[in-house]
């Protein structure tokens, strides 16, 4: 089953309970546009509400993942907007994406096919994990433009790679390759470019077959637990566990285990 976006700047499809969002402005290395952001917000909200969709894949068209902000649009913003209008344009523009993804409780995988820089890197880091092509490159490049990370980079990057490495990436704007990204924990896996999407969908299908209530509660507990003390976290988990135990998924899994119907329970 297929879906259609409200703009050519974002392609959308659904297959095997997996939704794929493809950033699609290849002439500007998939730089973000207002139309693309509007479509992303619309599609992510629709995906969140669609019980048939279990996993989301975010990728870029062609040779780039996302070059971040459109430099031409930045110049126009400086020339035409007062500081206050520019502030709210940012809040009501790109910053909708990190606000939405913080509360998005389905797994979302960034399949980074090529360079991810600036806001493109920030958005990738707001995904749950990142699989990279061996041709991918990464830079927190705002400082080169005399700017600060505008899409939640200062919040999310330290949570992904740790504070010292995040500061080094942001201060230096160094462009790092896929192997270095793997070494510092920025990405989970690196694959040859020709294999990236196959490997991404292999993992997405595996996750999509797991109990959806369990997956969503685990995601919520992990992210919220990063901002809780252990007692608050354990109190939350006791509530989540009660919900999970009441689900049909749990009952079926227990019966399957006892009846040895699942290959993983047979040692296969």
């Amino acid at each position: 089953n297929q879906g259609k976006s409200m703009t050519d700047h974002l392609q959308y499809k659904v297959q095997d309970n997996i939704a794929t969002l493809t950033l699609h402005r290849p002439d500007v290395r998939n730089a973000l546009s207002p139309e693309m952001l509007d479509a992303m917000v619309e599609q992510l909200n629709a995906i969140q509400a669609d019980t048939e969709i279990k996993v989301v894949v975010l990728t870029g068209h062609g040779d780039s993942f996302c070059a971040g902000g459109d430099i031409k649009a930045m110049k126009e913003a400086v020339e035409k907007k007062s500081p206050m209008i520019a502030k709210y344009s940012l809040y009501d523009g790109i910053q909708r994406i990190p606000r939405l993804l913080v509360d998005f409780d389905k797994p979302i995988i960034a399949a980074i096919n090529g360079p991810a820089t600036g806001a493109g890197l920030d958005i990738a880091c707001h995904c749950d994990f990142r699989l990279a092509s061996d041709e991918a490159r990464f830079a927190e490049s705002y400082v080169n433009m005399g700017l600060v990370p505008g899409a939640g980079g200062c919040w999310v990057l330290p949570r992904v790679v740790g504070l010292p490495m995040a500061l080094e990436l942001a201060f230096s704007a160094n462009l790092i390759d896929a192997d270095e990204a793997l070494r510092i924990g920025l990405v989970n896996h690196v694959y040859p470019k020709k294999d990236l999407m196959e490997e991404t969908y292999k993992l997405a299908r595996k996750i999509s077959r797991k109990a959806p209530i369990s997956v969503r509660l685990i995601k919520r507990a992990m992210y919220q637990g990063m901002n809780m003390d252990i007692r608050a976290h354990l109190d939350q988990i006791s509530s989540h566990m009660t919900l999970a135990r009441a689900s049909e998924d749990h009952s079926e899994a227990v019966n399957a285990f006892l009846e040895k119907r699942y290959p993983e329970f047979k040692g296969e």
Side-chain angles (χ1 to χ4, degrees):
N1 47 324
Q2 300 288 326
K4 182 172 176 58
S5 295
M6 58 191 288
T7 173
D8 291 338
H9 292 186
L10 185 78
Q11 296 179 338
Y12 174 62
K13 71 176 184 179
V14 181
Q15 188 171 359
D16 298 330
N17 304 110
I18 300 165
T20 302
L21 299 174
T22 303
L23 308 178
H24 190 260
R25 296 184 73 203
D27 53 322
V28 288
R29 296 180 297 143
N30 301 325
L32 301 166
S33 68
E35 295 82 6
M36 184 188 288
L37 295 171
D38 287 344
M40 287 180 70
V41 170
E42 178 188 57
Q43 295 294 358
L44 287 169
N45 281 324
I47 289 166
Q48 180 81 316
D50 189 336
T51 57
E52 296 300 310
I53 296 175
K54 310 299 184 187
V55 181
V56 183
V57 172
L58 177 66
T59 192
H61 178 80
D63 294 328
S64 295
F65 177 76
C66 179
D70 189 320
I71 303 300
K72 183 179 178 181
M74 289 182 194
K75 179 176 173 61
E76 292 174 354
V78 169
E79 293 174 346
K80 297 180 180 180
K81 294 180 180 178
S82 70
M84 187 59 68
I85 291 174
K87 171 184 170 61
Y88 284 106
S89 294
L90 190 66
Y91 187 81
D92 294 330
I94 179 63
Q95 290 183 349
R96 290 176 295 168
I97 304 301
R99 292 203 306 272
L100 196 161
L101 290 179
V102 162
D103 294 323
F104 194 80
D105 61 2
K106 295 184 180 183
I108 178 165
I109 305 169
I112 304 173
N113 52 305
T117 58
L121 176 58
D122 291 349
I123 289 173
C125 286
H126 284 291
C127 296
D128 297 315
F129 37 86
R130 289 147 294 285
L131 308 184
S133 154
D134 55 2
E135 296 182 13
R137 300 292 182 268
F138 305 86
E140 189 72 332
S141 52
Y142 293 91
V143 73
N144 287 344
M145 303 300 296
L147 297 173
V148 297
C154 289
W155 184 88
V156 73
L157 195 57
R159 286 167 164 79
V160 174
V161 299
L163 180 59
M165 184 57 69
L167 287 168
E168 181 179 334
L169 291 172
F171 289 162
S172 69
N174 284 342
L175 186 70
I176 64 172
D177 63 18
D179 288 340
E180 177 66 2
L182 181 64
R183 187 188 72 80
I184 66 174
L186 183 59
V187 302
N188 295 62
H189 304 283
V190 175
Y191 300 106
K193 186 172 184 179
K194 64 182 179 61
D195 299 329
L196 174 63
M197 297 313 296
E198 178 185 350
E199 294 293 340
T200 299
Y201 287 123
K202 185 185 299 182
L203 178 58
R205 285 191 296 270
K206 183 171 187 176
I207 295 170
S208 74
R209 291 192 293 266
K210 303 300 183 183
I213 292 174
S214 180
V215 168
R216 293 174 79 167
L217 291 176
I218 288 169
K219 175 172 176 175
R220 193 175 301 176
M222 282 203 182
Y223 280 103
Q224 293 179 354
M226 295 181 71
N227 298 311
M228 288 181 176
D229 63 46
I230 183 63
R231 290 176 178 81
H233 173 75
L234 292 174
D235 185 48
Q236 178 197 51
I237 285 295
S238 66
S239 299
H240 285 357
M241 185 67 83
T242 303
L243 289 174
R245 280 184 175 144
S247 69
E248 292 182 12
D249 290 325
H250 174 63
S251 297
E252 169 59 18
V254 169
N255 290 333
F257 179 86
L258 294 174
E259 296 165 13
K260 299 185 177 179
R261 284 189 279 114
Y262 284 171
E264 53 262 46
F265 297 145
K266 299 177 184 176
E268 296 178 5

